[in-house]
Amino acid sequence: ESDIAQFAILSWDHFYAHTDQTSLDGTLFERPVAHGYCILSAAAGLFVVAAKGPVLLNYGIENCRFLKPVYAGTTIGVRLTCKEKTSQELNEGESIPRGIVKWYVDVYDESEDSVMVASILTIVRKKSSVI
């Protein structure tokens, strides 16, 4: 099974553009297109360090846009830029100094075209009094 079909099963998203080659005439797509959220998930896998470190958790996604169709077999990469750091106050009973880091994420294909952009927020452990 293709990765697109597997993601459709996992996500329960069986929209025709992802799963039905026979329904694509007159659409924007040449063949079944990858789910945007599959691209987003794959991008996260490309820039997240698996080992325990300063990133405590993902906090959210802002301004996510899918700019170009991605088909099975397309190679993608990620350009990650730190855009903003914001300190967070500790609530009563909390002991981990932390802040929010906003990352600009540019996912591109093998022709260097952007296929998805977003701002991803992470909560990170502070190294010191400044994040």
Side-chain angles (χ1 to χ4, degrees):
E1 262 183 286
S2 75
D3 293 338
I4 294 172
Q6 289 178 0
F7 193 85
I9 292 166
L10 176 68
S11 66
W12 295 10
D13 179 353
H14 298 279
F15 186 64
Y16 78 91
H18 305 304
T19 60
D20 186 2
Q21 175 72 44
T22 64
S23 296
L24 297 178
D25 286 345
T27 72
L28 303 171
F29 307 111
E30 301 166 8
R31 56 189 184 275
V33 63
H35 299 71
Y37 295 109
C38 180
I39 302 306
L40 178 62
S41 295
L46 291 171
F47 68 75
V48 169
V49 176
K52 185 176 180 180
V55 175
L56 300 171
L57 57 101
N58 286 322
Y59 189 56
I61 300 166
E62 298 176 342
N63 306 313
C64 184
R65 299 291 180 266
F66 305 111
L67 305 173
K68 181 181 174 184
V70 175
Y71 300 106
T74 301
T75 299
I76 61 170
V78 176
R79 288 182 276 260
L80 193 63
T81 306
C82 180
K83 299 301 280 185
E84 184 179 314
K85 297 177 184 179
T86 307
S87 186
Q88 280 193 312
E89 297 293 321
L90 287 176
N91 293 321
E92 189 175 327
E94 295 178 335
S95 61
I96 300 173
R98 62 183 183 264
I100 299 171
V101 178
K102 181 184 281 191
W103 304 94
Y104 179 74
V105 179
D106 177 15
V107 181
Y108 59 91
D109 64 14
E110 58 267 286
S111 62
E112 297 287 319
D113 292 338
S114 293
V115 298
M116 188 207 89
V117 294
S119 292
I120 295 183
L121 305 163
T122 57
I123 293 184
V124 298
R125 179 186 305 265
K126 290 182 181 181
K127 281 185 171 181
S128 63
S129 60
V130 177
I131 63 166

